[in-house]
Amino acid sequence: MDPIKTELVVVGAGPGGYAAAFYAADLGKKVILVEQDKRLGGVCLNRGCIPSKALLHATELIAETHDSAARGITFAPPQLDVAKLRVWKEAILTKLGQGIAGLAQRRGVQVMHGRGYFEDSRTLRVETEAGQQFVQFEKAIIAVGSKPALPKAFDLGNPRIMTSTEALEIEDVPAELLVIGAGYIGMELGTVYARLGSRVTVVEALDSILTGADADLARPVVKFAEKAFKQLRVKTKVAKLATAGKQIKAVIDDGSGALKEELYDRVLVSVGRVPNAADLGLENTKVERDDKGFIKVNPRLETTDPAIIAIGDIAGGVLLAHKAHKEARVAVEAICGESSVWENIIVPAVVFTDPEVAWAGLTEAEAAAQGRKVEIVRFPWGASGRALTFDRIDGLTKLIIDPETERILGVGIVGHGAGELIAEGTLAIEMGATARDLAETVHPHPTLSETLMEAAEMFFGHATHAYVRKRCVE
Ligand code: FAD
């Protein structure tokens, strides 16, 4: 069969790949999008962001019904139909997947379902159900993403040992669940299972949870976890897992000198992600990888092969869908000859725990590590009328400000809906806004967004709902 010729081939249809394919088509390129899964959308849609947030939302209701008793509204204990929950979640994924496929069609993006493999720097072989097809391209964007890391000591082939992919399927609700790793995936999925009724034990090798988040932002999540989970243990490692009948035996090293053996019904391993760079034929190109296996790129997302670009999880950095999406925009503009580069781009982070944690720009820990002089203001949500109406005063809005220019360098928020609120902080940092800009922008009342305005007012020593004297520079 003759090879298909195209200007651009995109390998992988996750939030990086399909965004790149669509944008390039919008800019007039002839594009082929290659995806091995039946449904487009990548990890994010199929086994990441969307299913996890659907389950977090569904199970939040369970927690809400408990809490509402204190407000004089009581409910009968919830009945759980896990099969129906799965069907509902799947329906969301189907709808979104169909939406992406429809958008590809309307833009004239040719979707090829099959596994892509580079024969050389200008040819991709695609293994489709109908057989092999060859695509000759002028440029290729690799957006093949990442998969859960499963260290050898945990990889027993026992279905009771799950990664996030299996955990999202909710096969059942285990009585005792061990979560290894207290990063955002472990904490989010631990929250889902705890709300469904599992006794959840989370162990983390480091001395804190949610690496990357400032300690004051993580603290309310620790408080929640200490109540909602059976145990949250930091500085604790799982040395080994073994099958023990219908359970899993975990050998735990808590640093006390003696190893402990504990039994669990299921184990979720959430210890990080590894790039999908194997069996891609990269050795037939000039593409180089770093020591962790991620593809090396320059600020224009170009690899060491002039015809090949890499974006999203496979290009390393923070492994988040919106980072992949933004890289898609930069990469396509670079292909089209524009001067776009990945420079000074603020990538917010959101952890959808209870409460949510979100931050953007410079963190307090980073400022300290850099020895950078900053002023920090913290507006406690106990002073927010809106937080009280939600019964959620366990929040905090924090601004990290340059004391000389008064520019907002970083924003951190912990609390109900922090994930939605952080966008304003991200925009403020991107636009070079000052504390005065935030303080003088009228925010609607009563909303949690006012906490950003009041935090900025605190910088000037006159927040309406919090009494502060003008502090010295920290
Ligand atoms: P991916 O989404 O990984 O997509 C890569 C695609 O490439 C896949 O569809 C794969 O099938 C395909 N592929 C791989 N190899 C080949 C090949 N050889 N040929 C053809 N196709 C191939 N991020 C957030 O921003 N917010 C969240 O709330 C969030 N929650 C998450 C929750 C969980 C449980 C997990 C696991 C991840 C979460 N993420 C979240 C991370 C997010 O899913 C990833 O950062 C994002 O999906 C990366 O996008 P990508 O386009 O780089 O690759």
Side-chain angles (χ1 to χ4, degrees), residues 364-384:
E364 187 175 353
E366 283 166 352
Q370 293 167 16
R372 184 164 183 177
K373 214 175 189 189
V374 292
E375 192 162 347
I376 297 172
V377 283
R378 294 179 179 84
F379 184 82
W381 284 22
S384 156

Side-chain angles (χ1 to χ4, degrees), residues 379 381 383-387 397 421 424 438-439 441-457 463-465:
F379 184 82
W381 284 22
S384 156
R386 188 58 174 142
T397 297
L421 291 172
E424 179 178 347
L438 262 190
T441 301
V442 178
H443 286 66
H445 179 74
T447 64
L448 294 169
S449 70
E450 288 170 292
T451 65
L452 283 153
M453 174 186 73
E454 294 230 32
E457 288 174 350
T464 307
H465 296 100

Side-chain angles (χ1 to χ4, degrees), residues 59 62-63 66 173-175 177 179 187-202 224-225 227-230:
T59 55
I62 301 176
H66 282 258
V173 179
L177 172 70
V179 177
M187 292 300 289
E188 287 183 5
L189 293 179
T191 302
V192 167
Y193 276 91
R195 287 172 176 166
L196 288 173
S198 294
R199 282 186 299 281
V200 176
T201 300
V202 178
F224 163 84
K227 267 204 301 191
F229 297 169
K230 186 177 154 194

Side-chain angles (χ1 to χ4, degrees), residues 295-312:
I295 294 178
K296 289 187 191 171
V297 290
N298 66 17
R300 283 167 72 75
L301 286 320
E302 292 156 342
T303 68
T304 37
D305 188 315
I308 302 178
I309 292 96
I311 60 169

Side-chain angles (χ1 to χ4, degrees), residues 11-18 34-37 39 41-50 52-53 114-117 143-146 148 164-165 168 184-185 188-189 273 276 278-280 311-314 318-324 350 352:
V11 191
Y18 77 75
V34 178
E35 170 56 54
Q36 64 187 4
D37 281 354
R39 192 162 52 204
V43 167
C44 182
L45 191 160
N46 292 296
R47 41 195 180 274
C49 328
I50 301 297
S52 59
K53 268 80 251 182
R115 195 172 163 75
Y117 182 92
V144 293
S146 64
S164 54
T165 306
L168 287 166
Y184 81 92
I185 292 177
E188 287 183 5
L189 293 179
R273 298 185 62 82
N276 281 330
D279 298 327
L280 201 56
I311 60 169
D313 282 10
I314 192 69
V318 287
L319 308 188
L320 291 172
H322 43 280
K323 176 261 197 186
V350 182
F352 294 83

